[in-house]
Amino acid sequence: MGKVTGFLEFQRLQEASEAPEARKKHYKEFIMHLSDEQAKVQGARCMDCGIPFCNSGCPVNNIIPDWNDLVFKGNYKEALDNLHSTNNFPEFTGRICPAPCEAACTLNINNDAVGIKSIEHFIIDKGWENGWVVPQVPQFKTGKKVAVVGSGPAGMAAAQQLARVGHDVTVFEKNDRVGGLLRYGIPDFKMEKSHIDRRVEQMKAEGVTFRTGVLVGKDFPANITNLARETVSPEQLQQEFDAVVIAGGAEQPRDLPVPGRDLSGIHFAMEFLPQQNRVNAGDKLKDQLLATGKHVIVIGGGDTGSDCVGTSNRHGAASVVQFELLPQPPETENKPLVWPYWPTKLRTSSSHEEGCDRDWAVATKRFEGKNGKIEKLIAARVEWKDGKMQEVPDSEFELKADLVLLAMGFVSPVQQVLDAFGVAKDARGNAKATIDGDGCYRTSVDKVFAAGDMRRGQSLVVWAIREGRQCAREVDQFLMGSTVLPR
C-alpha cells in the first residue's frame, strides 16, 4: 500500500471537464485525464483491502490495488503492464465503463469510492503518450486459422489474444470501419474513434487481418445488406478456417407497438446515433436524421437514451424530453443493503447536464400526427405494485413531438447470423454456449464459438472484453490441446 492513511487524508477528485455550454458546440471528448500529482493522490486513497472486492466487481478482474499502488509510486510503465495483463483496451473502459469496480470498493461502504476509472484513464493515456503501447508480435506461428465475425470489443479482444499466440486471425465486419457498436453506437463526445484506430493498427502489426464491408450469413433485411459490399457464407468460413468466433453485438432493438408507430419522425436510437458518427468521420449522408430545431422525445432512460440526448443537444434541438417506464430510483443507494453489488440509484449523465427534462413512470399510449408525420405523443402516468404496472386513472397527457427516438434496449443479436450458422439459441435468442465446464464458449456447431453480446445478450463493453479474452483461451485450447492464455 502506497500510503496507509491516504483514504483518511485525501478526498475523491472528479476528472475535470469542459463546461456544458461549450462542449455542446462540438463532438470531441471533453473530459480530461488526471495530472501526475492528482493521479498519485487518488491512488493513495486505495486501502489495499485484505479482500479486494473491486477485483471481483470488475468483469475483467483488473488487479486494481496493484496498479493504484504503482501509480502512487510513479511507476507508470509497470502500472500499464499490470493493467494490460487483464484488459486489452483500457482506453475504452477508462472512458465509457460505468465502473462496477467502484461500486464494489470497500471505501464505498461509508465514503466516496476510490476513483478507479479515472486512474485507469490516466494510466493508459500516459502509456500512449510515452509510446509504451506497442505491438506484441508472436514468436512463432501455429499454422491455425481463426475467423472472428464482428469487430466490436468482444471480437477485437478475441482476435488480439489469438493473434498473440500465433494463430492467423481474420476479422469480418459488415460496416465500412472496424469497431462495431464502439464505432457506430458510442457518440464521439464520449469516446473519439481515434482510440479504435490506434488499436486496429497495433493489431494489424500483430498479424490480424481485417475485412470490412463483409456480411456473414444470409437473408438480412435491406438496412443491413446496404452496409456491405460482399457476403460470405458460414459454410465458407467453416471450410477455410480451423475455428470461428461469432462476436457480433446485440443489435435487435426493442420496438414500441402502439397506435401511430408508423408515422414518420419515429426512429430507433441506432438509426439516429450512427449517422452522426459517420458524419464526424467525414462521410456525406443524404437525409441525415437531425434534431435541429425540433421537439425531441427520447423513450428509454438508459445509456443509449442519454446518448440520444447529448447528440440532440449538439444538433440544436428546440427541447429534449426523456422518460422511463420504471419509477424514479433513489438519489443515493442503501449501501449496507446492496454493497458490493451494482446499486440502483439515480444517475445523471454528462448529457443530462447539458439540458434535458427527465420523467419517470411514464408509458406511451399512442402517437398522433397529420399527413403521416408525428406531431405529439400521448402518454400516461403508471404506478408499480407487486411488480406489476398499472395506469394511474385520469393521468393521460400529451407532449409536442417532432422527433421520437426509441432507446429501450436491445432484445437479441441479429438472428440471421445465428440462423445461418445453425447454432442452438437460448430463450432470449442468443447463441447458446456455456462459460463453465468443458466446451466453454462452444456452440452446438462444431468449430464455432460465441462471445460477447452474441452469447450473453446486451451488456457492457467491459463484459464484451472479458468474454472475448476468455473465448480466445477456449479456442486456443481447442486448436492446440493446451493454452498459455489467461482467463
Side-chain angles (χ1 to χ4, degrees):
M1 190 192 311
K3 188 172 179 59
V4 175
T5 58
F7 71 98
L8 295 172
E9 298 176 34
F10 305 121
Q11 298 302 309
R12 178 185 171 105
L13 177 68
Q14 293 295 117
E15 294 170 301
S17 62
E18 192 176 0
E21 285 305 312
R23 68 192 189 223
K24 284 196 296 183
K25 297 176 182 177
H26 61 80
Y27 293 90
K28 299 291 185 181
E29 291 179 14
F30 52 82
I31 294 177
M32 284 71 82
H33 64 68
L34 303 173
S35 68
D36 289 19
E37 186 58 35
Q38 288 171 336
K40 178 179 179 179
V41 169
Q42 293 307 295
R45 296 187 71 236
C46 179
M47 299 188 290
D48 193 19
C49 311
I51 300 176
F53 289 93
C54 56
N55 285 20
S56 55
C58 171
V60 293
N61 303 126
N62 278 331
I63 313 168
I64 294 163
D66 289 24
W67 43 258
N68 281 339
D69 180 55
L70 290 165
V71 167
F72 172 77
K73 293 175 179 176
N75 296 334
Y76 305 132
K77 176 65 166 59
E78 192 177 345
L80 178 67
D81 292 341
N82 185 297
L83 180 55
H84 268 147
S85 71
T86 56
N87 186 351
N88 294 67
F89 314 117
E91 64 269 45
F92 303 165
T93 52
R95 284 169 167 81
I96 60 176
C97 183
C101 55
E102 294 186 9
C105 173
T106 302
L107 191 55
N108 191 46
I109 295 174
N110 63 351
N111 203 326
D112 292 329
V114 173
I116 299 168
K117 180 179 174 180
S118 65
I119 299 172
E120 178 181 34
H121 185 185
F122 167 83
I123 294 170
I124 185 58
D125 281 12
K126 176 71 74 173
W128 282 110
E129 289 165 6
N130 286 279
W132 298 333
V133 185
V134 295
Q136 297 180 29
V137 181
Q139 294 180 346
F140 63 89
K141 301 293 283 186
T142 65
K144 301 291 186 180
K145 297 169 64 178
V146 182
V148 177
V149 181
S151 69
M156 288 181 69
Q160 185 166 61
Q161 293 294 93
L162 289 165
R164 287 177 173 178
V165 290
H167 302 307
D168 291 317
V169 183
T170 302
V171 178
F172 295 86
E173 168 59 49
K174 68 177 182 298
N175 284 295
D176 56 345
R177 299 178 180 91
V178 173
L181 291 175
L182 275 174
R183 172 79 63 177
Y184 290 122
I186 304 294
D188 286 19
F189 56 81
K190 288 176 68 174
M191 192 188 85
E192 294 176 23
K193 303 309 176 266
S194 58
H195 303 298
I196 302 173
D197 297 335
R198 288 191 300 196
R199 284 296 181 180
V200 169
E201 290 307 309
Q202 180 197 37
M203 291 171 67
K204 286 179 178 178
E206 293 170 345
V208 178
T209 299
F210 290 93
R211 290 182 58 185
T212 57
V214 180
L215 268 178
V216 178
K218 58 184 179 179
D219 301 326
F220 291 100
N223 67 314
I224 294 181
T225 54
N226 290 340
L227 296 172
R229 298 185 303 271
E230 61 177 304
T231 301
V232 173
S233 71
E235 292 77 17
Q236 286 176 265
L237 297 186
Q238 289 166 286
Q239 290 170 7
E240 295 177 18
F241 294 88
D242 298 293
V244 179
V245 177
I246 47 176
E251 297 184 62
Q252 190 65 43
R254 181 174 284 107
D255 206 345
L256 186 60
V258 298
R261 171 65 180 86
D262 57 344
L263 291 169
S264 67
I266 305 170
H267 300 274
F268 290 117
M270 288 306 295
E271 296 176 72
F272 177 69
L273 295 173
Q275 290 191 357
Q276 187 58 55
N277 285 10
R278 291 182 181 279
V279 170
N280 293 345
D283 292 354
K284 304 295 183 184
L285 299 185
K286 288 185 177 179
D287 303 320
Q288 181 190 355
L289 286 176
L290 291 170
T292 311
K294 295 178 180 178
H295 296 281
V296 179
I297 298 177
V298 179
I299 303 177
D303 289 339
T304 304
S306 171
D307 294 343
C308 290
V309 170
T311 302
S312 296
N313 278 325
R314 281 161 178 75
H315 284 178
S319 67
V320 182
V321 175
Q322 181 185 24
F323 60 77
E324 165 66 55
L325 187 65
L326 295 172
Q328 180 175 344
E331 291 194 13
T332 56
E333 72 272 35
N334 185 340
K335 290 184 179 182
L337 179 65
V338 300
W339 181 89
Y341 301 107
W342 182 250
T344 297
K345 66 176 183 178
L346 181 63
R347 303 177 193 277
T348 299
S349 73
S350 59
S351 292
H352 296 140
E353 294 171 354
E354 295 163 2
C356 174
D357 291 327
R358 304 168 72 186
D359 206 349
W360 288 265
V362 174
T364 303
K365 297 194 69 174
R366 63 186 180 276
F367 302 109
E368 294 183 359
K370 292 181 181 177
N371 302 318
K373 182 175 174 55
I374 181 76
E375 288 189 336
K376 58 185 176 180
L377 178 151
I378 311 302
R381 302 282 172 190
V382 295
E383 57 184 2
W384 294 80
K385 292 182 178 179
D386 300 322
K388 295 181 179 180
M389 183 184 75
Q390 297 177 340
E391 182 177 331
V392 176
D394 302 320
S395 66
E396 191 171 295
F397 64 98
E398 67 178 53
L399 293 168
K400 183 174 177 57
D402 303 309
L403 176 64
V404 175
L405 300 171
L406 307 180
M408 303 174 293
F410 302 86
V411 295
S412 72
V414 176
Q415 295 299 294
Q416 288 84 351
V417 176
L418 302 182
D419 292 341
F421 276 98
V423 302
K425 293 183 280 189
D426 64 17
R428 294 178 176 268
N430 305 314
K432 196 172 184 179
T434 66
I435 57 170
D436 299 309
D438 295 332
C440 296
Y441 292 92
R442 291 193 203 182
T443 69
S444 59
V445 177
D446 186 40
K447 301 197 306 184
V448 179
F449 295 73
D453 288 2
M454 195 69 83
R455 190 201 69 82
R456 64 179 288 121
Q458 176 191 2
S459 193
L460 304 175
V461 167
V462 67
W463 271 111
I465 293 172
R466 173 197 171 105
E467 294 239 332
R469 287 172 60 88
Q470 291 191 331
C471 183
R473 175 185 169 88
E474 298 303 322
V475 172
D476 189 40
Q477 175 81 33
F478 168 74
L479 294 175
M480 307 302 293
S482 63
T483 183
V484 295
L485 289 173
R487 284 188 61 82

